[in-house]
Amino acid sequence: MKTALVLGAGGFLGSHMVRRLKAEGYFVRGLSRNAPRHGESEADVFWTCDLREPHNNMFRAVDVVCQFACEVGGLGYITDKNNDAEMLRNSTLIDLNVLEACRINKVPKVFFASSACVYNIPNKRFYAEADAYPANPANEFAWQKVFAERLYRAYADNFGMEVRVGRLFNTYGTDMTWRGGREKSVAALCQKIAQAKTGDVIEVWGSGGQTRSFTHVDDTVEGIWRLMQSDVREPMNIGPQHEVTIRDLVKAISKVARKEVFCSFGDGPAGVSKICSDNTLIRQKLGWEPQIDIETGLEQVYPWVKEQVDKAALAA
């Protein structure tokens, strides 16, 4: 039986990747700074530790490492300049320690979760992988991802590792962070609508015209799995090639919630105006692309957020 080590296994993406690797027959070790927020980890072994410090022994006899551990959050967190040093320092320390542990233990294959945040070209709609250069990220979180991609590639080239890099587009799903300041747009809007009554006004950052590719976590995990099985060495987009405006996202959530709400647009960080995936490369190399549209995904995800909101209200 092959062994996989999932880093950030207590988090949203990590917990879903643990489940997929188990289904594929791996013995899974999970490692995370914190225990899972929603139930017990499904990993065969789960450790809590801080990857800002070296933990080389935990990487012994591992066939594949999936690296999701980093300082991450929604726009409210990553655009706050007070968090820049924390993001840059912590994520870079984690990536350096992960790569050194992989080098020392001769881990044959590593997946690194990068982000669509690496893209930022004014008035660009769909981003192909080559559009990351010349680099022009909008915030320090994204700059760290640009540097990390190059760091993983250098270790691959110099030490014979097989590295796969996925640029993930706005993943959402059950078990995602939905409150506390680090939630992303789908979670934040689901929470606001769950807490609202029909006819209420909710606050939405920006004009509402910003467009995104929103990826259901099942598609993200499927894309990662397929990329890991491939011989693709360059970074690859993992996101649907369709545009959803924030206004349309609010309408879609409201439809699932069966309540009409009104929006107050403006205050708060809005991010880049457009950031959607060009899927030419993933179609060519993997013969696949994400399949779950936002409406279908929200039919699963909104009830889960509503359940969390209701539980929190009862516990207050």
Side-chain angles (χ1 to χ4, degrees), residues 168-203:
L168 310 185
F169 281 72
N170 296 289
T171 302
Y172 68 98
T174 57
D175 299 333
M176 62 185 173
T177 299
W178 62 274
R179 64 174 178 176
R182 295 205 187 191
E183 64 273 20
K184 297 184 180 181
S185 55
V186 172
L189 291 170
C190 282
Q191 177 197 6
K192 289 180 179 183
I193 290 171
Q195 292 172 328
K197 299 181 181 66
T198 294
D200 280 356
V201 177
I202 64 170
E203 181 185 11

Side-chain angles (χ1 to χ4, degrees), residues 5 7 51-60 65 67 91-108 110 151-152 154-156 158-159 161 163:
L5 176 61
L7 310 177
L51 282 167
R52 291 175 295 182
E53 302 294 333
H55 294 279
N56 296 339
N57 291 342
M58 295 180 177
F59 289 70
R60 287 179 177 172
V65 167
Q67 159 52 344
S91 292
T92 302
L93 283 173
I94 290 167
D95 287 325
L96 286 167
N97 286 327
V98 166
L99 282 165
E100 276 296 282
C102 290
R103 179 186 68 82
I104 290 166
N105 288 282
K106 296 181 170 58
V107 174
V110 181
L151 183 64
Y152 279 81
Y155 267 73
N158 292 172
F159 303 115
M161 295 179 196
V163 169

